[in-house]
Amino acid sequence: MQAQNPDSGDAGLAVYKALLPEAEAGDAEVQTALGLMRLRGDVVERDLKVARVWLGKAAMQNHTPAQYYLGQLLLLDVFNASQPDLSKQLTEGLGWLRRASRDQHSPSQLLYSQTVLESHLESPFGHSKIEAQQHLDSCAEVYLPCTQYALQRLDKGKEEVYCPKNEFCEQKKRLLYTLANADDANARYWLSKFEGEDRMFWLRRAARLNHPQASHELAELVLKNEVPLQPEDPAVLALLNSAAQQGLVESMHLLGNLLYEGTRFPVNKPLGLQWLNLAAQQGHEPSIKLLAQLQEPAGEISANDKVESAQPTESTP
């Protein structure tokens, strides 16, 4: 354990005391800073009661970060409220989060909507789920964690491979556009499955970000001569290797087969067998059957050694 600097406590306390006059004069930002110092206890001694006082003073001045922190702390019950006071504390916490949410404070909008929408109560602590959904919809346009949560709610935790053209899918599409434009490879891949979208446009953009399924599908299309590679696309070998290294057994099988046969790349039977063996170890039936037909087992190699030695080199065309 690293030794603590004996002067750090004195220095932190000096900073804290230097900020006190501004906080006492009503500076909400400084009040929030002092509240967080007291809460964390890394600069001055931890004191939850004092932290609550400073955050409360700033929150009363409509300082949205203070409202967010105070609301979060009240919901987490870090102040150890007595059982009779707990309901009152939770109500107060949600109230602060709603006030910050109404001022478009994105983290508050996310936490407020999550808390209200995931409650089993119809109107948790008097809050409307309709309003909470409105906060989430607004936040999802500008704050990626909100976008991801809104998409998760639409999918109910399950990603759909295909989405026909209807209002539900249009909602999903708007959320996926936001994520895709923020370089989210998964969002780009799912957009390639939407009716009316340019499949190859999104598939290529996902593959360029090393999305395993997109990389595999693009490689398959190129191998079948259905589409050509573009200058920005990785080579077929790189596409398959990327997907295989991420654990996609279909890519392990295809890469191993191509290397073993030497039909697309220079023949490399040991390397091909290693990929096939990796896929077979994961229960991939086509690889198991192919290895049985070849009657050339890859041998006893530890999993880690296989992953490292089965990486095709960039010099292979």
Side-chain angles (χ1 to χ4, degrees):
M1 181 181 293
Q2 186 176 3
Q4 186 176 3
N5 185 348
D7 297 328
S8 60
D10 293 339
L13 186 59
V15 171
Y16 185 87
K17 288 181 176 180
L19 293 173
L20 272 175
E22 295 177 62
E24 291 169 346
D27 189 312
E29 191 165 342
V30 176
Q31 289 171 342
T32 301
L34 294 188
L36 293 177
M37 286 182 190
R38 282 299 193 184
L39 175 68
R40 293 168 180 156
D42 54 353
V43 175
V44 291
E45 183 180 358
R46 192 171 195 232
D47 190 321
L48 295 179
K49 290 183 179 180
V50 175
R52 185 172 182 174
V53 169
W54 283 124
L55 290 174
K57 287 178 179 292
M60 288 297 294
Q61 297 186 70
N62 295 321
H63 190 255
T64 52
Q67 292 171 343
Y68 168 69
Y69 289 122
L70 183 57
Q72 186 177 25
L73 295 173
L74 290 169
L75 288 180
L76 293 172
D77 190 26
V78 299
F79 303 115
N80 296 318
S82 63
Q83 193 60 36
D85 292 336
L86 184 58
S87 179
K88 180 181 177 181
Q89 178 178 283
L90 296 176
T91 302
E92 181 187 349
L94 267 181
W96 286 121
L97 287 176
R98 178 165 61 180
R99 287 181 62 172
S101 295
R102 288 176 171 176
D103 284 338
Q104 306 298 310
H105 184 255
S106 296
S108 295
Q109 288 177 309
L110 176 59
L111 183 56
Y112 178 71
S113 62
Q114 285 177 320
T115 305
V116 175
L117 292 173
E118 293 178 11
S119 172
H120 297 298
L121 301 174
E122 184 176 346
S123 180
F125 300 99
H127 292 261
S128 165
K129 291 191 175 184
I130 295 176
E131 180 185 356
Q133 184 65 52
Q134 291 171 343
H135 285 297
L136 178 60
D137 292 341
S138 171
C139 177
E141 297 178 3
V142 295
Y143 187 55
L144 294 182
C146 279
T147 314
Q148 292 162 342
Y149 177 61
L151 185 61
Q152 178 188 340
R153 283 187 57 79
L154 281 177
D155 283 335
K156 294 180 173 57
K158 298 180 180 179
E159 293 175 321
E160 292 188 27
V161 176
Y162 174 74
C163 204
K165 197 168 186 179
N166 55 38
E167 179 56 33
F168 170 78
C169 288
E170 288 303 311
Q171 292 179 41
K172 285 186 62 174
K173 190 186 293 187
R174 287 193 292 271
L175 295 170
L176 287 169
Y177 279 152
T178 301
L179 294 172
N181 289 330
D183 291 342
D184 187 305
N186 204 43
R188 293 180 176 185
Y189 175 70
W190 289 117
L191 280 171
S192 73
K193 305 300 179 184
F194 275 61
E195 184 177 305
E197 286 295 315
D198 185 338
R199 181 194 177 202
M200 291 310 305
F201 173 79
W202 290 116
L203 197 64
R204 291 182 190 279
R205 295 191 74 195
R208 291 167 192 166
L209 293 177
N210 297 318
H211 186 277
Q213 194 64 43
S215 298
H216 180 82
E217 290 182 18
L218 179 57
E220 278 194 320
L221 290 170
V222 173
L223 291 169
K224 294 175 182 176
N225 294 319
E226 294 184 15
V227 299
L229 285 174
Q230 293 183 349
E232 299 88 355
D233 295 331
V236 172
L237 182 60
L239 288 168
L240 289 175
N241 185 58
S242 172
Q245 291 293 337
Q246 293 179 70
L248 195 65
V249 291
E250 292 84 2
S251 292
M252 295 178 186
H253 175 80
L254 180 55
L255 182 57
N257 195 16
L258 291 172
L259 288 169
Y260 185 88
E261 294 181 351
T263 51
R264 179 82 186 198
F265 317 121
V267 63
N268 190 332
K269 289 187 177 184
L271 188 55
L273 285 170
Q274 287 183 33
W275 278 123
L276 290 171
N277 197 53
L278 277 172
Q281 284 186 346
Q282 297 187 38
H284 189 246
E285 286 297 329
S287 296
I288 295 172
K289 291 178 180 178
L290 182 55
L291 281 172
Q293 292 171 5
L294 296 175
Q295 295 183 340
E296 280 194 65
E300 295 297 327
I301 309 173
S302 69
N304 288 337
D305 289 341
K306 284 180 187 176
V307 170
E308 293 178 1
S309 62
Q311 295 182 24
T313 62
E314 289 298 323
S315 61
T316 307

